[in-house]
Amino acid sequence: MAIHLNKRETYAVALALVVVGFWCLYQFVLLPFTEEKALLQRQIIAKQGALSEMVRLREEYEKLVQDQAARKKRYALREESFTLFSSLEKLAVKAGVSPNIEYMKPSTAKDKISSTTISLVEMKLKEINTQQLMSFLYHVETSDNVVYVERLSVTRQGKKKNVIDAVMKVAAISG
């Protein structure tokens, strides 16, 4: 059984087949290709972001490793008989505040993260001026013995101008 179509119907069927063919080409070839391309571009952008974050973290890690190596070198240069208490006494003499030391209380603590021992000395400097305090703090922070001020409290002494008391906790990692 053959279907006979006139010229106009043949053109209509041919046009319909062309439209369906283009639709199929678009739907099953071009659209998945463009969606895949867009997906790949989004993945590339995400991977580039992750890569730049990894590079940043690597640089930060290398800096931390270098800092740790420098600290270890500084610890190695420290005298074997180093104690924080005696070091602070020497620094107080250097800064000219040793007569103003009211008390020095040594203690130790264990760092929870690295399980290293930290030597601590709480000390009070009485009736000093800000220049003396700055000098002492400078000597502490620039000491070759890797000593740092963990806490500092400064109060004005009575009604006297420019006279203060300072209570500080100074720390050093023990070898």
Side-chain angles (χ1 to χ4, degrees):
M1 174 182 225
I3 300 176
H4 294 292
L5 301 173
N6 65 22
K7 203 174 194 181
R8 188 173 164 196
E9 290 172 337
T10 305
Y11 286 139
V13 169
L15 181 63
L17 286 174
V18 168
V19 169
V20 170
F22 277 124
W23 181 82
C24 287
L25 179 69
Y26 174 76
Q27 189 68 29
F28 298 114
V29 177
L30 293 177
L31 190 61
F33 177 73
T34 57
E35 287 176 353
E36 184 68 22
K37 184 179 177 186
L39 174 66
L40 289 174
Q41 287 176 336
R42 287 192 304 273
Q43 287 177 342
I44 287 171
I45 291 169
K47 298 287 183 184
Q48 285 174 337
L51 178 64
S52 65
E53 178 67 10
M54 287 173 63
V55 167
R56 185 191 67 77
L57 289 172
R58 179 174 163 240
E59 289 170 354
E60 185 178 327
Y61 173 76
E62 287 174 352
K63 184 179 181 319
L64 289 172
V65 168
Q66 288 173 352
D67 289 350
Q68 183 181 20
R71 248 184 255 110
K72 282 184 179 181
K73 188 182 281 187
R74 287 180 68 190
Y75 291 138
L77 295 175
R78 196 158 62 179
E79 298 173 5
E80 283 191 35
S81 62
F82 168 81
T83 62
L84 180 59
F85 192 90
S86 64
S87 176
L88 288 176
E89 285 180 328
K90 290 174 190 173
L91 294 174
V93 170
K94 235 183 197 182
V97 294
S98 62
N100 302 88
I101 296 175
E102 185 167 309
Y103 64 81
M104 291 177 72
K105 297 178 184 174
S107 63
T108 58
K110 199 85 155 158
D111 188 338
K112 293 174 184 151
I113 297 171
S114 65
S115 70
T116 57
T117 304
I118 301 172
S119 298
L120 301 164
V121 173
E122 182 176 323
M123 66 185 298
K124 181 174 184 177
L125 299 174
K126 194 162 179 74
E127 296 181 357
I128 59 172
N129 61 40
T130 55
Q131 191 63 33
Q132 289 173 308
L133 177 62
M134 295 299 284
S135 175
F136 180 69
L137 291 175
Y138 175 79
H139 283 81
V140 168
E141 291 289 333
T142 58
S143 168
D144 289 335
N145 293 321
V146 195
V147 177
Y148 60 95
V149 176
E150 190 174 272
R151 188 180 68 215
L152 173 66
S153 173
V154 178
T155 55
R156 190 174 356 174
Q157 174 62 27
K159 296 179 182 176
K160 299 177 184 177
K161 286 193 173 213
N162 299 328
V163 177
I164 57 174
D165 289 347
V167 178
M168 65 189 80
K169 186 179 275 190
V170 182
I173 297 176
S174 298

